[in-house]
Structure formats: C-alpha cells, structure tokens
C-alpha cells in the first residue's frame, strides 16, 4: 500500500497541522500541547465559568456474544499474560476485598472510585469496600506521571502483586514476589495511578487496573466490547467485563484451579449468569498472532521514527487483509494509517478512515469505534467547508460517547459540531454548544490550558478561521 500521493486540493498548513492534532485523540486523548499560533477566535467563551461535568448512572449493554465465545475469552484472559506467557493456575481473592487510597489523590479520584466500587458490588456481585487501614488487600497510590515513568517506562498506570507502595515495588521489582506467574492466590496488590493527569485518564486507570487486580491479567485485541483490550477504545468497564468479573468470583471457581478444571465448569456457570448467551450461535475464535501485535506496538510505540511506524502500520493492515479478518482489528490497522497520514496525505488518510468505517459498520458492537473514526472524517469535512456533511456524521455519535462515559470524545464531537454549525451560519447554536462542551472537556482533558488548546485546534479546522475570516 503506497503512502504518498498528491493532494486533491490545496489545504493551508495550519489546517493540515490541526487535522493531525485532532487525529491524536484515539490513543492519547489527554496529552494535549498548547498551540501558540493556531488561528482561532479571539477568546474562548466563558471557559472560567463552566464547571467540570461528570456522568451519572452508567448504562452498559449486556454482552451480545455466545457463551461459547465468552468462555474462550475467559480462559484466554485468565490463563495468559499480555506478553503471551501462560499462567499455570487460576487466581483471585478468596476473602472480601478491601481497598485503600494513599499518595496524593486529586479531588476527582474519590467520587470515581466510589462509583466504580459500587458497580463492582452491584453488577459483578463482588464483596469489595474501601477502608483506611494499612492492612487493605489493594492499595491505590496516587503518584506523579514522572514517578510512574521512572518505575515502568511507557506505562500510564500499572498493578503489581505483593506490594503496597511504589517504593516497595522499586525495591522488590526483580524478586519472585512481584512475578505474576508465581502467584497462586491474591492477597495484597499495589495499583499506581497518576495524580497529575486529567480526571478521565485517572478514572480510566482506576477501571482497568482495579479490574486486573481482582480479575483477568491479559488483554485481547479480538474483544470489541471490553477494557481488556490494548486498543484503548473502551475506557470504563463494560457489560462483558462485569460478566467476566462476576464469573471470576462465582462459587464454582477457586484459586489454584487448572485451565482444564475452569473450562469444565464454565458452560454451566455462564449459562447460569448469562442465559441469553446460551441461545446465541458461537462464532469461530480468531486469535491474534504475535506478529500482528508486534507491528501494532511498533506503529504506536514512542521513540520510533515516522517512516518505521508507518511501515509497521502498513504491515499490520496487510496482515489483517491477508488473514481475511473482518472485525475491528482489520479496521484498527486502517485507523492507525489514517492518523499517521493526516499531515502528509489527507486524502489518502480519509480513504483509510472510510475503509475502517466500512469494516466497523458490518461488525456488531463497534459503535464506539465508529465514533472515534467519525472525529477524523468530520474534521476533514469541516476543513473543506462542508458543514452539513460534518453535522450529519457527528450528531448520531454524541449519545454513543455519552453512554461510554468518554468525556474527551464527547467534548471533541461537540466542538466539531459547533464548527459545523458555524459553517452553516448558525452562530448562536454553535456558541451554546461550544460553551456546553467546556464542562466535559474539563473532565476529559483536565486543565484550562488543555481545554483551550483543544478548542483552538478544532477551531483551526474551520477554513474561515484559518484564513482570518
């Protein structure tokens, strides 16, 4: 697949740059850099007056797949690490679980943790509660991103067995006690999250790391409806995730069971917990070869030259096509290529996004994936002055982002919609929507400068702003 072709029409350099910046949302939603010279309105309206918004009752969709497929997923999640290394036995907590918070937690951590623990009790039936004493099973330590990076480079947050502080992990990181493969049951774990990230990034870390502290340790790219997936599309625990966690703590299972023993009880166990999955026909399980994962990691990893990343993304897309994949993994390769090509060849990038969307539209359970792609295609339409085309794409996706409780995505969709309305001459509606997006942007992107930068980036897509109009 070639990566270079002529622009079909001229786009100003500020717009090309802005398109590339908006394209970073999917995998770096909270890393936004202020742009000193980006063309935009003279002032961000009412930014200091809009408080941070938060989500109410979570609305998750129950899993739509066969219990046969869910059983295969359960085994793969519990009996392998992300590296591909096999785990010898099933592990979980065998007592009620206690959680405490240490370090320097920001104000947003406690309400998000309270909601998460409530969901784990209500939806997964897990006996888990927060305490203040040092004997807690799980310690969540809020530290700086710099400290996390020094302890484990390239990690946003992580969980380790048999430690209760980052200092203890640094001291014992090469000892058997911190090796997941040596674990036979879970008694004490440490979770390390960044206090200096956006509220949404911190919440996302709480969801994934606490779920892995008490449940599966693996991530599977084949899952379209789970946080146990390195594509980072889902940011809060889904209906599938809660079913997996409920099964993890079912009385039929116990720590120390082999994979064969767990597999033997899963059909009846899942039939009891998820009767609707009994009637759904099982689909062939298509595993994700390590070769494809390696190319994806090379394409998205930091510190790699652009051309090497582009080559890796091309190889991942070509592998998916040659293997006949027709699910979200096939779309992910095109999504990566579209993001990488936004500046060098916007038209080719859009063709990749169009291909990704076509695959996703024929794959059940991928509405959230489609919303991410829509931010790219709608941004391009706005840069071409097509407000009506952008609006038609954006409006159906706002509720998708809201249901997924993804404030960064929701705010971005709203800001893009505001620019589309501006192009159509509906300036009052655009102003109101832009102002309404600020509260969600505060949660999704964090600081005022990050919110302003995101608004400036998206305003720069509008050709009228880029041309000083």
């Amino acid at each position: 697949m070639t990566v270079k072709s002529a622009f079909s029409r001229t786009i100003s350099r500020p717009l090309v740059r802005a398109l590339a910046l908006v394209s970073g949302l999917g995998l770096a939603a909270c890393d936004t850099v202020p742009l000193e010279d980006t063309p935009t309105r003279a002032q961000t309206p009412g930014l200091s007056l809009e408080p941070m918004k938060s989500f109410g009752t979570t609305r998750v969709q129950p899993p739509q797949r066969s219990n046969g497929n869910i059983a295969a997923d359960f085994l793969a999640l519990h009996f392998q690490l992300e590296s591909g290394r096999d785990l010898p036995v099933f592990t979980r907590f065998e007592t009620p679980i206690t959680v405490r918070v240490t370090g320097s937690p920001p104000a947003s951590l406690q309400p998000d943790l309270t909601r998460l623990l409530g969901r784990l009790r209500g939806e997964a039936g897990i006996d888990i509660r927060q305490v203040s004493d040092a004997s807690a099973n799980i310690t969540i330590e809020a530290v700086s991103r710099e400290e996390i990076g020094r302890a484990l480079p390239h990690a946003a947050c992580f969980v380790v067995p048999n430690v209760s502080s980052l200092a203890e992990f640094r001291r014992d990181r090469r000892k058997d006690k911190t090796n997941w493969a040596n674990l036979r049951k879970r008694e004490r774990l440490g979770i390390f999250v960044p206090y200096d990230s956006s509220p949404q990034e911190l919440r996302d870390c709480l969801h994934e790391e606490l779920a892995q502290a008490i449940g599966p340790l693996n991530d599977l790219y084949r899952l379209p409806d789970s946080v146990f997936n390195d594509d980072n599309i889902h940011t809060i625990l889904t209906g599938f995730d809660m079913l997996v966690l409920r099964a993890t703590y079912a009385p039929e299972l116990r720590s120390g069971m082999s994979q064969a023993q767990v597999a033997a009880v899963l059909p009846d166990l899942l039939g009891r917990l998820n009767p609707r999955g009994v009637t759904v026909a099982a689909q062939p399980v298509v595993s994700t070869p390590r070769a494809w994962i390696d190319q994806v990691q090379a394409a998205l990893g930091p510190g790699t030259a652009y051309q090497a990343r582009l080559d890796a993304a091309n190889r991942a897309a070509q592998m998916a096509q040659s293997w006949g994949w027709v699910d979200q993994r096939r779309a992910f390769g095109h999504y990566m290529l579209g993001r990488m090509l936004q500046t060098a060849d916007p038209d080719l990038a859009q063709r990749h996004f169009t291909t990704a969307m076509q695959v996703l539209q024929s794959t059940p359970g991928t509405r959230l994936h489609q919303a991410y792609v829509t931010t790219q295609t709608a941004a391009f339409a706005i840069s071409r002055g097509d407000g009506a085309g952008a609006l038609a794409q954006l409006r159906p996706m706002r509720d998708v982002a809201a249901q997924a409780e993804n404030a960064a995505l929701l705010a971005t969709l709203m800001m893009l919609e505001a620019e589309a309305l501006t192009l159509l001459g509906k300036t009052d509606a655009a102003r109101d929507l832009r102002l309404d997006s600020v509260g969600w942007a505060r949660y999704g992107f964090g600081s005022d400068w990050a919110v302003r930068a995101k608004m400036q980036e998206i305003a720069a897509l509008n050709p009228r702003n880029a041309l000083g109009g």
Side-chain angles (χ1 to χ4, degrees):
M1 186 180 298
T2 60
V3 298
K4 285 284 185 182
S5 66
F7 289 175
S8 63
R9 77 174 206 176
T10 302
I11 303 178
S12 69
R13 287 187 179 272
L15 284 177
V16 170
R17 187 182 183 204
L19 278 165
L21 287 163
V22 172
S23 75
L25 174 66
L27 293 170
C30 303
D31 290 334
T32 309
V33 179
L35 302 178
E36 300 291 338
D37 303 318
T38 304
T40 184
R41 291 168 179 75
Q43 185 177 9
T44 303
L47 185 62
S48 62
L49 302 178
E50 287 296 308
M52 183 174 74
K53 294 182 179 180
S54 59
F55 295 98
T57 303
T58 300
R59 301 173 292 155
V60 297
Q61 184 181 42
Q64 305 298 301
R65 287 177 285 127
S66 159
N67 279 354
N69 288 114
I70 293 172
D73 297 335
F74 186 95
L75 295 173
L77 287 168
H78 270 288
F79 285 93
Q80 276 193 331
L81 295 172
E82 292 181 40
S83 64
R85 183 179 181 182
D86 290 336
L87 292 171
V89 296
F90 173 81
T91 64
R92 69 178 188 187
F93 284 96
E94 296 296 339
T95 62
I97 304 169
T98 53
V99 179
R100 69 166 178 156
V101 176
T102 63
S104 304
S108 69
L109 186 148
Q110 187 57 58
D112 280 337
L113 178 60
T114 298
R115 285 191 67 211
L116 175 55
L117 294 178
R119 286 192 61 201
L120 290 170
R121 287 190 295 268
E123 297 175 43
I126 297 174
D127 188 352
I128 187 170
R129 61 188 174 91
Q130 187 172 349
V131 298
S132 57
D133 56 274
S135 62
N137 300 117
I138 298 173
T139 298
I140 301 172
E141 185 177 13
V143 298
S144 70
R145 284 185 289 186
E146 182 180 359
E147 289 177 280
I148 289 175
R150 286 201 301 266
L152 203 64
H154 312 317
C157 42
F158 62 100
V159 58
V160 181
N162 298 315
V163 303
S164 297
S165 69
L166 195 59
E168 186 179 4
F169 168 67
R170 285 194 294 261
R171 186 184 69 233
D172 297 339
R173 63 181 304 167
R174 303 199 183 280
K175 296 181 180 178
D176 287 345
K177 63 182 280 189
T178 60
N179 188 333
W180 284 105
N182 294 332
L183 211 61
R184 294 301 177 265
K185 66 177 179 178
R186 305 191 197 187
E187 298 176 309
R188 185 169 68 100
L189 294 101
I191 295 173
F192 307 105
V193 298
Y195 64 69
D196 50 354
S197 62
S198 73
Q200 178 169 313
E201 184 176 357
L202 179 56
R203 180 210 63 188
D204 298 352
C205 280
L206 288 176
H207 275 247
E208 181 160 3
E209 302 310 322
L210 188 54
Q212 293 195 308
I214 65 178
L217 297 171
N218 197 7
D219 282 330
L220 297 173
Y221 275 104
R222 72 172 184 252
L223 299 179
D225 55 353
S226 176
V227 300
F228 301 119
N229 187 327
D230 275 333
D231 65 10
N232 292 334
I233 295 295
H234 289 276
T235 56
I236 65 168
L237 292 171
T238 66
F240 169 85
D241 298 329
M242 287 298 183
L243 174 61
V244 167
L245 290 171
R246 182 176 283 275
T248 298
Y249 284 85
E252 293 93 328
L253 301 181
R254 65 185 182 281
S255 293
M257 293 177 71
S258 68
Q259 182 168 343
Q261 289 172 320
V262 173
V265 302
L266 277 179
D268 289 341
L269 169 57
L270 290 174
R272 176 171 64 81
L273 297 180
N274 186 44
R276 65 183 295 162
V278 175
T279 62
V280 179
Q283 301 298 315
V285 175
V286 181
S287 61
T288 308
R290 191 72 220 178
W292 185 86
I293 295 174
D294 289 342
Q295 296 305 319
V296 169
Q297 291 178 343
L300 301 178
T304 305
Y306 170 76
Q307 189 58 50
R309 293 173 57 237
L310 192 61
D311 290 343
N314 266 308
R315 285 191 291 269
Q318 290 164 0
M319 287 177 179
Q321 182 177 6
S322 68
W323 294 331
W325 287 355
V326 291
D327 58 18
Q328 75 284 347
R329 292 172 295 179
R330 173 81 177 273
F332 193 55
H334 291 285
Y335 180 69
M336 287 192 301
L337 285 166
R339 289 180 58 237
M340 292 179 189
L341 291 165
Q342 284 278 45
T343 300
D345 194 335
D347 292 318
L348 179 57
Q350 290 303 305
R351 291 199 289 275
H352 280 295
F353 290 135
T354 298
T355 300
M357 186 64 86
Q358 289 171 345
V359 173
L360 293 171
Q361 286 173 342
S362 62
T363 305
T366 61
R367 288 287 286 167
L368 184 57
H369 303 69
Q370 294 173 44
Y372 275 105
V373 178
T374 296
T375 63
Q376 316 306 320
T377 55
F380 187 74
I382 290 168
S383 74
R384 297 299 177 97
D386 183 9
L391 206 59
Q393 297 179 56
L394 291 164
R395 282 189 167 162
M397 295 302 171
R398 265 210 272 163
D399 189 59
V400 173
Q403 184 170 349
E405 298 188 17
N406 191 324
L409 177 59
L410 177 59
T412 299
L413 290 166
M414 294 171 74
M415 292 176 192
L416 288 167
E417 188 174 330
E419 293 306 323
L421 288 168
T422 300
L423 285 171
L424 295 174
K426 300 178 180 180
T427 54
D428 290 344
R431 182 186 61 248
D432 292 344
L433 186 59
R434 194 175 292 112
L435 189 60
D436 193 34
S437 74
V438 171
W440 295 117
R442 282 186 182 280
Y443 186 84
F445 300 113
S447 62
D448 283 358
W449 68 258
V451 175
R452 285 194 183 92
K454 181 55 63 175
M455 297 186 83
Q456 289 173 348
E457 291 167 13
I458 291 176
L461 294 168
N462 188 328
R464 297 178 185 176
N465 295 331
L467 297 173

